[in-house]
């Protein structure tokens, strides 16, 4: 969900929670108005909580195409592709036609996707 939609829904839900039910309840409501105010407040609360837990749409689709030749020596690290430490990023990652990876000592050479 885009961030601006999330904010819009949160503001409208908060307005729905407090506006009309508050006005109805201040005017000595009868049973129907009390029920309507309760239902409107419950729907507003549900919409607020739902929007609050939606993740902003920050998907990143990564692609590494025709990679290769990642050389490392004497403890170095080489990545010729996509590096997502600790699996960061919420979009898809794609690596095509990879090849050529050489690492020596404690090094690591990756020509695709590195999630470590």
């Amino acid at each position: 969900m885009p961030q601006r939609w999330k904010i819009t829904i949160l503001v409208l839900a908060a307005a729905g929670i407090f506006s009309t039910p508050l006005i109805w309840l201040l005017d000595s409501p009868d049973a129907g108005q009390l029920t309507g105010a309760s239902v409107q407040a419950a729907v507003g609360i549900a919409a607020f909580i739902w929007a609050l837990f939606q993740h902003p749409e920050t998907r990143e689709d990564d692609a590494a195409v025709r990679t290769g030749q990642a050389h490392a020596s004497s403890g170095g690290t080489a990545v010729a592709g996509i590096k997502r430490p600790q699996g960061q990023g919420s979009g898809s990652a794609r690596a095509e036609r990879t090849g050529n990876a050489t690492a020596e000592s404690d090094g690591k050479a990756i020509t695709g996707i590195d999630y470590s």
Side-chain angles (χ1 to χ4, degrees):
M1 165 183 294
Q3 186 69 19
R4 72 174 184 270
W5 278 109
K6 181 177 180 177
I7 292 170
T8 302
I9 292 172
L10 288 172
V11 169
L12 291 175
I17 292 168
F18 295 111
S19 65
T20 306
L22 183 63
I23 293 169
W24 283 356
L25 296 176
L26 290 177
D27 190 30
S28 300
D30 60 11
Q33 289 175 327
L34 185 59
T35 302
S38 300
V39 168
Q40 184 175 347
V43 169
I45 290 169
F48 188 85
I49 291 172
W50 175 79
L52 192 62
F53 288 106
Q54 294 298 311
H55 296 290
E57 189 174 290
T58 57
R59 292 187 52 141
E60 297 178 14
D61 295 330
D62 296 327
V65 181
R66 297 182 187 191
T67 63
Q69 298 184 0
H71 301 285
S73 70
S74 301
T77 300
V79 177
I82 300 167
K83 183 169 178 73
R84 288 189 173 175
Q86 286 82 39
Q88 293 176 345
S90 59
S92 65
R94 179 176 52 105
E96 295 179 7
R97 297 183 183 180
T98 62
N100 300 338
T102 304
E104 295 185 22
S105 190
D106 294 70
K108 164 172 69 170
I110 297 170
T111 62
I113 302 168
D114 182 14
Y115 287 109
S116 60

